[in-house]
Amino acid sequence: MVIKVFLASSSGSTAIKKKQQDVLGFLEALKVDYAPLDIACNEDNRMWMRENVPVEKKPTNGIPLPPQIFNEESYCGDYETFFDAKEDNAVYAFLGLPPPPGSKEAKEAEKAFILENGTVENETIENGTVESETVENGTDDAEDEENLEAEEVEEENLDDDSLKREVPMEEFNGDEHTEEVGGETGEEAAEKAAEEDVAAEEKVAEEEEAVEDTEEASEDTAPVKEEEAQEELEDEEAKGEDDQQVSEGEEDLGSEEEEELRQLEEEEEGPEVTEQEEEDE
């Protein structure tokens, strides 16, 4: 594919000359092969450029100005679109060319492809296309399938062994077949289980004895408590009788004192009455 750049070698416009130099200089820097086509000295080039520029890309007067860029017969754009592509690091896409490996545009294209399609395993992105990697010194597909089936069978057997534990059996020669489980033989596991059962039974027996001792202790203390309660009741009754006797004695003393006081009053009133009777007489 050849890049065609239509330009005017004898243009009197300084702006057009500058734009043409920018395009050619950038293409040379990128080492892109291009063919400059002068429209000032070649009428055929001028007519071909005007006819192949799309109508929507032509200015209002209908005459496109150089530089105009084509990829063979395909229209790429004018200076403005070329400048925008350069700013976006997308010049190769603008020209319709695959970016060289390792270039900034190639890396960005690879990132964009990964974002759109996800990561691609065993594939490399080169020159804008996805090529599968070559596999050297590969193994036979049939052998791989057989090995895979054998691995699956082994995994199934391991799963079955882990889900169920077989009981030790005697082999044909009469020897006892012991199966190691978790680093212990079947006999050791049985002895350990028997020891655990014995320990559990002893623990239950100790708990029952403790309960019986507690019940006996409660039965022994019950009569003692009843006797103490009876003694306390008798003491209270005796105390009540003593209090009653004391109160009766106090009442007797009170009555005696009242009788003595009454007699003293009568004795004092006696002389006064006799004196009054003598005066009356």
Side-chain angles (χ1 to χ4, degrees):
M1 293 182 290
V2 178
I3 302 301
K4 298 178 181 179
V5 182
F6 291 86
L7 47 84
S9 59
S10 61
S11 175
S13 174
T14 305
I16 290 176
K17 289 182 179 179
K18 184 177 182 304
K19 291 177 180 179
Q20 293 175 164
Q21 290 174 359
D22 288 345
V23 172
L24 297 179
F26 196 77
L27 292 177
E28 289 176 358
L30 295 179
K31 297 181 181 181
V32 175
D33 294 333
Y34 68 92
L37 301 176
D38 190 2
I39 63 174
C41 300
N42 192 324
E43 186 65 22
D44 293 337
N45 292 337
R46 180 196 301 269
M47 296 302 297
W48 192 94
M49 182 193 74
R50 291 181 178 180
E51 290 175 357
N52 289 277
V53 172
V55 177
E56 63 273 10
K57 299 296 182 179
K58 291 181 180 180
T60 55
N61 59 5
I63 300 175
L65 298 176
Q68 298 291 334
I69 306 169
F70 288 80
N71 185 342
E72 293 292 346
E73 308 296 328
S74 177
Y75 179 71
C76 297
D78 55 6
Y79 176 79
E80 281 72 17
T81 54
F82 175 81
F83 181 82
D84 293 340
K86 183 173 69 173
E87 291 294 324
D88 296 336
N89 294 320
V91 175
Y92 288 98
F94 169 79
L95 297 174
L97 299 175
S103 64
K104 188 174 182 179
E105 188 172 346
K107 293 178 180 179
E108 291 181 355
E110 182 177 356
K111 291 179 181 178
F113 181 84
I114 291 174
L115 290 174
E116 292 178 359
N117 303 313
T119 57
V120 181
E121 297 180 357
N122 298 326
E123 293 181 354
T124 58
I125 300 174
E126 184 178 359
N127 296 332
T129 59
V130 180
E131 298 178 357
S132 60
E133 293 181 351
T134 59
V135 180
E136 297 180 355
N137 299 325
T139 58
D140 188 20
D141 294 339
E143 294 179 355
D144 292 340
E145 291 180 358
E146 292 178 358
N147 293 332
L148 182 61
E149 291 177 357
E151 290 178 357
E152 291 178 352
V153 172
E154 291 179 358
E155 290 178 356
E156 291 178 356
N157 294 333
L158 290 175
D159 293 338
D160 294 339
D161 293 338
S162 62
L163 291 175
K164 62 180 181 178
R165 176 182 172 183
E166 296 181 356
V167 179
M169 298 174 63
E170 293 184 356
E171 295 180 353
F172 293 106
N173 56 5
D175 296 333
E176 184 179 359
H177 174 71
T178 59
E179 180 183 1
E180 293 185 358
V181 179
E184 296 181 353
T185 62
E187 292 179 355
E188 293 176 352
E191 291 177 357
K192 187 176 180 180
E195 291 177 357
E196 292 177 354
D197 294 339
V198 172
E201 291 177 357
E202 291 178 353
K203 186 176 180 180
V204 172
E206 291 176 357
E207 292 177 354
E208 291 178 353
E209 290 178 359
V211 172
E212 291 177 357
D213 294 339
T214 305
E215 292 177 354
E216 290 177 357
S218 60
E219 291 176 357
D220 294 338
T221 55
V224 175
K225 291 182 178 179
E226 290 179 358
E227 291 177 358
E228 292 177 354
Q230 186 68 25
E231 291 177 357
E232 290 178 357
L233 181 60
E234 292 176 356
D235 293 339
E236 290 179 356
E237 290 177 354
K239 185 177 180 181
E241 292 176 356
D242 295 338
D243 293 339
Q244 186 176 2
Q245 292 176 359
V246 171
S247 62
E248 289 177 356
E250 290 177 354
E251 289 178 357
D252 293 339
L253 290 174
S255 62
E256 290 177 358
E257 289 176 357
E258 290 178 358
E259 184 65 25
E260 290 177 359
L261 290 173
R262 187 175 59 79
Q263 290 176 1
L264 290 173
E265 289 177 355
E266 289 177 355
E267 291 177 357
E268 289 177 357
E269 289 177 357
E272 291 179 357
V273 172
T274 55
E275 290 177 0
Q276 185 67 32
E277 289 177 353
E278 288 178 358
E279 289 177 0
D280 292 337
E281 292 176 357

